Amino acid sequence: MKKNLTDFPQLDVIAVGAHPDDVEIACGGTLAALVRQGYKVGIIDLTDGEPTPGSPGPEVRLAEAQKAAQTLGVELRVTLDLPNRRLFDTFEARVLLAKEFRKYRPQIVIGFGDKTPLASPDHWQAMQITDAAIFYSRLTKWDEHFDHLPVHTISSQLYFRLAFEPQSLQDWASHFTIDIGETLETKIAAVKCYATQFPPHKDHVYDRIRGAALVAGGAAGFKAGEVFVGVRPLGASDLVKLVLPKYVGEGRIVP
Ligand SMILES: [Zn+2]
């Protein structure tokens, strides 16, 4: 059935995770900051994360995910019907995600940027699927695969990493840090919505998330931060605004 695009709100930014909680842990502070800045933000989870230890079932996990989305203030959260633990970069998975991009028409997509050895291999597959779906979203003469949704070109793609994973994105050239000093507590509150995933004996996760944010932020001169990588070199026409965004001239930098 042909769908009308007015059925779907246009978003500025979409963050893609393999499982509910990936996006919160990787970039929840930035998403909450974007919402406060007035941008329309969405989250797409490729799987519902089930089965998983500690969860009584998918309904509970989905309810946790929706509560976390509300905590961040994002416009919408979509959970795709791809299989947890058996996530693979297939044609069907690429098309499924590309259809969501065509519906919600983001300008920026943020997703996994590397493998996570010792953790779920779904994350690496999610990266491959996201890379491909961004490309598929703009391909013409292939409408039959996409429910005849119009093509959509995504302008910019960024990679994230899970807050407590090793700093594995160092090989990329365009690192930058987003100030989440105002939204670190919101990020942690969103992760805490996953009560089944982080029961009291896993409380150390919050310390790790907080610690990673403080280290990343401190290195860039913020109270807390999240690091991203641009898949292409990032540039600017105003050197001062790029390197000193709070400089207001006459030697003054606003706090
Ligand atoms: Zn995950």
Side-chain angles (χ1 to χ4, degrees):
M1 187 179 72
K2 189 167 180 173
K3 294 191 180 72
N4 194 330
L5 274 186
T6 55
D7 295 341
F8 308 106
Q10 177 154 27
L11 301 177
D12 300 305
V13 178
I14 285 181
V16 181
H19 319 107
D21 78 19
D22 286 342
V23 161
E24 286 85 349
I25 292 168
C27 64
T30 299
L31 298 188
L34 284 165
V35 170
R36 291 182 184 192
Q37 289 155 358
Y39 297 106
K40 292 194 182 309
V41 178
I43 296 172
I44 298 177
D45 303 314
L46 298 179
T47 80
D48 65 1
E50 292 288 322
T52 191
S55 168
E59 299 77 19
V60 172
R61 190 81 184 272
L62 285 173
E64 289 176 346
Q66 286 306 334
K67 196 172 156 207
Q70 285 163 12
T71 301
L72 296 177
V74 300
E75 192 97 349
L76 66 90
R77 175 170 222 143
V78 174
T79 308
L80 297 183
D81 190 21
L82 292 167
N84 179 42
R85 298 178 171 176
R86 290 182 291 128
L87 186 65
F88 287 101
D89 174 24
T90 62
F91 177 70
E92 290 74 20
R94 294 175 174 189
V95 167
L96 200 63
L97 181 58
K99 282 199 286 192
E100 299 304 312
F101 292 155
R102 288 183 181 216
K103 286 182 202 166
Y104 297 107
R105 295 156 284 156
Q107 286 303 308
I108 301 169
V109 170
I110 313 175
F112 274 100
D114 207 347
K115 293 181 176 180
T116 56
L118 291 178
S120 173
D122 291 350
H123 299 149
W124 174 243
Q125 298 297 319
M127 176 185 173
Q128 310 297 327
I129 294 166
T130 307
D131 283 356
I134 288 171
F135 183 59
Y136 280 17
S137 180
R138 68 174 159 87
L139 292 185
T140 57
K141 299 183 178 178
W142 232 20
D143 293 349
E144 65 276 20
H145 294 296
F146 301 93
D147 296 345
H148 294 275
L149 289 159
V151 297
H152 171 68
T153 300
I154 292 156
S155 302
S156 182
Q157 181 184 4
L158 305 175
Y159 286 146
F160 62 48
R161 67 180 174 86
L162 297 178
F164 39 71
E165 288 288 324
Q167 306 224 12
S168 56
L169 299 174
Q170 300 295 352
D171 290 344
W172 292 85
S174 289
H175 280 251
F176 62 96
T177 302
I178 296 297
D179 179 356
I180 63 160
E182 300 289 316
T183 54
L184 174 58
E185 297 311 321
T186 306
K187 169 181 178 144
I188 290 173
V191 179
K192 283 188 173 175
C193 292
Y194 295 95
T196 66
Q197 302 308 297
F198 304 111
H201 73 274
K202 284 193 173 176
D203 261 1
H204 59 272
V205 164
Y206 306 118
D207 290 339
R208 288 182 188 174
I209 291 172
R210 186 185 300 280
L214 295 178
V215 169
F222 306 132
K223 182 179 138 203
E226 287 169 340
V227 176
F228 298 88
V229 157
V231 300
R232 297 277 172 90
L234 299 171
S237 52
D238 185 325
L239 182 145
V240 174
K241 283 198 174 121
L242 175 68
V243 302
L244 275 183
K246 293 184 176 176
Y247 183 68
V248 290
E250 298 175 345
R252 290 196 306 123
I253 297 173
V254 296

